[in-house]
Structures are given as C-alpha cells and as structure tokens.
Amino acid sequence: MLQIWGKTPLKGHVTISGAKNSALVLLAGSLLCSGSCRLRNVPSLVDVSLICEILVALGVKVARQGDALVLDASDLTSSKAPYELVSQLRASFFVTGPLLARLGVARVPLPGGCSIGDRPVDLHVKGLQALGADVQIEHGMVNAYIRGGRKRLTGARIYLDFPSVGATENIMMAATLAEGETLIENAAQEPEVVDLANFCRAMGARIRGDGTNRIVIDGVPALHEADYMVVPDRIEAGTFLIAGAITRSEIMLSPVVPDHLTAVIAKLKESGISVVSDAPNQLRVIPASSYRGTDIETLPFPGFPTDMQAPFMSLLTVAEGNSMISETLFENRLQHVAELNRMGADIKLKGNIAVVRGVPKLSGAPVLATDLRASAALVVAGLAAEGMTTIQGLHHLDRGYEHLEDKLRGLGAKLQRVHESTALSAPGNSEETVPSPLAECASENTPSDPLSALI
Ligand code: UD1
C-alpha cells in the first residue's frame, strides 16, 4: 500500500513519460512490420510488459535498449493470443487487426469487461468484417480470417456508430495492409490515434486525415522498418497539473504537447488555476489561494478526457461552490466517489452524474483504488489531505503511471510504499503528520522495472 503524508507543498520540475495508451497500440502495430522496429520513450509499466509477453507468444523478438524496445516481427509463429495474458489486459485486443492483416488469420480471446464497464468490441468486429474478414465468436474466442481464401483484406468505407479509440486504431492498422482504400467515418480524433498513424506512416503506410473524424488509408503490400518515439502522456501530464493545483504549488512539466491538454487546461482556468507554456513542450501550473467549482462532461477528444475525470474530481472536492461531473463514456467510472467521501469530500451520485459540494479540506483516510485513474485521483487527494492517506489496490496504479512515487518525491511529496505488515503506522491514523524516513525506504519498496523480468 501507499502511504501519503499530505499538505506538503510541491516544487520543481517533473519529466513526463511516453504515453501508455500510445505505447500499447504502437507495440501491437509493430506486428504489421515485416522487419524490426524501434520504439523509443516506451514507459516501463506492467501493461507494457504484458503486451510484450503477448507479442513474444506470437513470435515477435523483443529486446530492450534503455527506454527503447526493439521489436522484430519478421517471423510470426502464431496467430493465437494466449488467454492468460489477454484476460489481464484489454488493450491486447489491438493485436487482432495487425495479425489479420499480416497473417490472414487472428485468434484472440474476447477481452471481457473491466472495473470501469462492459467495454464491448462490436465496433472493432464490424470494422474488420467490412474489410473482408469472417469473424466468429465461439467459446469466448474471436476467430477471424480473410474471407474467400484471399491473401489481403479489402479496403472499405466504414462508419463507426461511436468514435471508439480502440476500434479506430484496430481498423486503421488492419487497413494499412489491405488492398485499396479504406475510409473510417466518425473516427476517433485522440492524440494516440494520430501517434499510431505517425508510426504507421514511418513504416511506409499511407494514411491521411488522422486527427479528424474522417481517416483515409490507402493499403500497401508491406510495411518496413522504422524508428519512432512515443508521444508524451497527456493523462500523466494532466494528473501532475492537478497535483500542483490541489497542493497550491507551482510545478513545471515537460515534455508535453499543450494542445493535447486544451480541455483540461480550460477547466483548470475556469476553476481559477493558470497554466502557462514557457517553452513549446513545457507547462507550468500557477496556483491561486482559492478555487471555484466548475461543471465537466467527459467526451471524445477534443472534449474533456474520461481518463482525467477522477483526478479532476479530487481537485473540485476542495473548490468553492458546487460542481457537476457527468461521465458519459464508461458506465462504472465513478467508484472513486465513495473513497473521496471517506476523505471528507461531499459528493452525491445520481447515475452517471456526480454533484460535488466543495469542502474546506480533505482528511487522510485508508482508501481503496478501484481502477487506474481512480488510483491517481486518490493519490492527488492524499497529497492535499490533512494527515496520512493509505491507498490499497496499487496494482492499478502500476499499470499506468511510470515511477509515480519517485516523480512525486522529486517534487517534495512525502510518500512511501510499504507492505501492510511493515506499515509505519496503522492505516487510517490520520493524526500522523510527521514524515518518516521516507527516502530511505522508498527505493527498496518501489516495484522493480516490470520489463526487466521479460527481456
Ligand atoms: C481507450 C483508452 C482508455 C480511454 C478510452 C476513451 C487505451 C488502451 N485505452 O479505451 O484509457 O479511457 O480510450 O478515451 O487506449 N465501445 C463500444 N463498442 C466497441 C468499442 C467501444 O460500444 O467496439 C464503447 C465503450 O464501451 C465506451 C466507448 O465506446 O463506452 C469508448 O470506448 P473506446 O473509445 O473504444 O475506449 P478504448 O479504446 O477501450
């Protein structure tokens, strides 16, 4: 569990890692390449390690060089993704499109739901069917192969009922090697989709329109080697902006792409927090003495990102006045509400809407992280709360934030990861205000690099 001693001001600069959600789909995209690809700025995370294990099971040779991964997919040996791995990582369904395009067949277990919702894959399947795949779902397995014994998928016009990020990415990857032109209408416009298109272009794919809702892909027979750098993580950056704001601290972040954070910065501004860009890839959060509540509705990009909803809610718990937060993308993504209320927040839930009444302060408490972004929300709440907050369920956090504790400690935060049996004080002892010998224990308790076991 993670112990955080709150109310410590933060200061300084934090380096933002490569985007988890980009890295995962780019790694799957490496299956499209007939040679080997080098991906730089890949965050060291449990999810990254899992998708690498899936690639290895399919015959990809994966090697690590510093923050880069070299992926040689020239000799794929299997078209079947192992259930034990896919069941742990929804994003592993991304391998379906590339496998189908490369081998003409893909057998991938249905990823199933997760703690934030059901998360169906019907749009992925419909898109692949439109490209000429026969897709059957039997015994929890998606069996897809190219119809009529053809060698390549066939370009098609595909309208997505909803601009799903994953479906856009899966279909785009499959279409890079299809015969003819594919048009994806009502496509997702997220920066991770653009990052994938850039990576595919670096491998020789012909894609245009990414970043708009209309993406056109002219299929090519094969993709070649490429060296590519993963875009900075906008959600990690947004989380650090909130960490600065909620602790009333001025902190600097880089590298970032400010345009990826337009909605988050706009909402921070409405709450009374300035974010300035001193250099093209840098942001600085400038706090104020008091904040105002604001309303938020999560939407596909460029709307407010659902992945920032939970951390932003933590901030609004201590803003003056009322805020209304509507979660429109995932049906079960408000589980952090109960945990924030345990810390003294005043939030009422009605369906997918949370009404937050600002309180003067939060107080440390034992809380449980229920999903990745909920964990981040509890961490930033803990940084602002009086006394000690103890967060359990850290496996969620380790999936998505690279070296979070080290980064926060570098900014001056007081926190440490401990095993329950060695906790320095009982969870929930919110009277604890004196930081313990944190720096010393921290490094030995921080999980080791998840990729080191693999490569
Ligand atoms: C990705 C991100 C996730 C982020 C989400 C929305 C990765 C690894 N994950 O998830 O962090 O929160 O985008 O920005 O990149 N839907 C369907 N049918 C489908 C596919 C999706 O109904 O076939 C629905 C989902 O249930 C959800 C909505 O569409 O309600 C958005 O999902 P989608 O954009 O696909 O999110 P993911 O790609 O799963």
Side-chain angles (χ1 to χ4, degrees):
M1 58 194 181
L2 186 65
Q3 294 176 324
I4 303 177
W5 284 264
K7 288 261 171 234
T8 308
L10 307 183
K11 194 173 173 222
H13 171 266
V14 62
T15 301
I16 301 302
S17 299
K20 171 188 82 92
N21 287 351
S22 268
L24 294 178
V25 71
L26 266 50
L27 285 163
S30 72
L31 284 166
L32 293 164
C33 181
S34 314
S36 79
C37 284
R38 187 161 174 267
L39 285 176
R40 285 171 287 131
N41 201 27
V42 178
S44 178
L45 297 168
V46 171
D47 277 9
V48 167
S49 184
L50 275 172
I51 201 144
C52 285
E53 284 187 56
I54 293 171
L55 295 179
V56 169
L58 298 171
V60 181
K61 295 181 192 73
V62 183
R64 182 160 198 194
Q65 295 174 349
D67 75 345
L69 288 175
V70 179
L71 305 128
D72 181 353
S74 44
D75 292 311
L76 296 181
T77 52
S78 171
S79 58
K80 186 176 176 186
Y83 172 75
E84 323 77 73
L85 297 171
V86 172
S87 58
Q88 295 179 55
L89 177 66
R90 235 197 88 80
S92 50
F93 199 68
F94 288 147
V95 301
T96 314
L99 272 182
L100 190 58
R102 229 359 245 301
L103 301 177
V105 52
R107 291 173 296 159
V108 183
L110 273 174
C114 70
S115 52
I116 62 171
D118 276 349
R119 307 190 76 176
V121 289
D122 55 316
L123 299 175
H124 302 235
V125 170
K126 270 161 79 176
L128 297 175
Q129 284 170 331
L131 291 174
D134 205 322
V135 185
Q136 277 154 20
I137 302 176
E138 285 169 343
H139 308 295
M141 182 72 118
V142 176
N143 294 305
Y145 55 92
I146 300 179
R147 264 195 300 270
R150 295 170 66 98
K151 288 234 169 328
R152 290 173 68 188
L153 291 163
T154 312
R157 190 174 181 141
I158 297 163
Y159 168 77
L160 293 180
D161 293 330
F162 183 87
S164 153
V165 177
T168 303
E169 293 170 335
N170 229 336
I171 296 166
M172 186 163 79
M173 288 188 282
T176 58
L177 294 178
E179 252 181 310
E181 183 185 277
T182 297
L183 169 62
I184 309 176
E185 291 191 281
N186 199 26
Q189 302 173 48
E190 268 69 3
E192 295 75 22
V193 173
V194 176
D195 207 31
L196 174 64
N198 284 333
F199 172 52
C200 290
R201 271 191 291 266
M203 293 190 289
R206 293 174 59 201
I207 302 172
R208 55 189 194 279
D210 45 295
T212 75
N213 61 3
R214 211 166 177 272
I215 302 179
V216 183
I217 305 120
D218 288 310
V220 294
L223 297 184
H224 55 68
E225 305 194 346
D227 187 330
Y228 189 79
M229 178 148 165
V230 179
V231 76
D233 195 315
R234 63 191 170 109
I235 307 302
E236 187 198 7
T239 305
F240 275 103
L241 290 178
I242 305 282
I246 200 168
T247 56
R248 310 279 200 267
S249 308
E250 182 169 321
I251 59 172
M252 253 186 320
L253 286 55
S254 73
V256 285
V257 181
D259 284 352
H260 293 175
L261 284 154
T262 304
V264 175
I265 293 172
K267 285 292 160 184
L268 284 170
K269 197 169 167 195
E270 270 182 34
S271 307
I273 298 142
S274 305
V275 178
V276 295
S277 183
D278 305 309
N281 67 350
Q282 188 173 292
L283 288 175
R284 185 157 51 95
V285 55
I286 304 174
S289 51
S290 67
Y291 300 144
R292 298 179 292 278
T294 185
D295 295 340
I296 286 175
E297 184 176 0
T298 61
L299 288 169
F301 191 85
F304 190 91
T306 173
D307 287 353
M308 282 303 301
Q309 175 260 112
F312 212 104
M313 187 184 295
S314 296
L315 176 67
L316 293 177
T317 62
V318 287
E320 278 172 19
N322 296 343
S323 306
M324 197 166 78
I325 302 179
S326 316
E327 172 55 59
T328 70
L329 271 90
F330 295 107
E331 63 272 24
N332 199 18
R333 209 175 201 179
L334 289 161
Q335 294 174 73
H336 44 283
V337 165
E339 302 304 303
L340 289 173
N341 281 343
R342 304 194 78 240
M343 297 178 71
D346 180 354
I347 312 170
K348 298 224 162 25
L349 258 189
K350 195 145 176 75
N352 67 338
I353 296 177
V355 177
V356 184
R357 290 199 180 91
V359 294
K361 66 177 175 68
L362 296 175
S363 55
V367 286
L368 181 67
T370 48
D371 64 69
L372 172 58
R373 306 303 171 185
S375 321
L378 298 176
V379 170
V380 292
L383 292 172
E386 260 177 11
M388 187 176 77
T389 296
T390 311
I391 305 176
Q392 301 202 34
L394 295 184
H395 55 286
H396 294 295
L397 203 60
D398 296 336
R399 286 186 37 222
Y401 289 88
E402 189 185 41
H403 308 315
L404 180 68
E405 289 134 72
D406 287 342
K407 289 184 184 186
L408 284 171
R409 207 172 286 116
L411 293 171
K414 307 285 185 233
L415 73 171
Q416 70 175 355
R417 186 182 289 235
V418 290
H419 291 289
E420 206 162 346
S421 54
T422 58
L424 293 174
S425 65
N429 179 4
S430 57
E431 297 307 309
E432 170 67 82
T433 52
V434 182
S436 299
L438 301 170
E440 289 85 297
C441 328
S443 51
E444 59 188 66
N445 286 310
T446 303
S448 58
D449 176 355
L451 276 174
S452 58
L454 174 73
I455 301 155

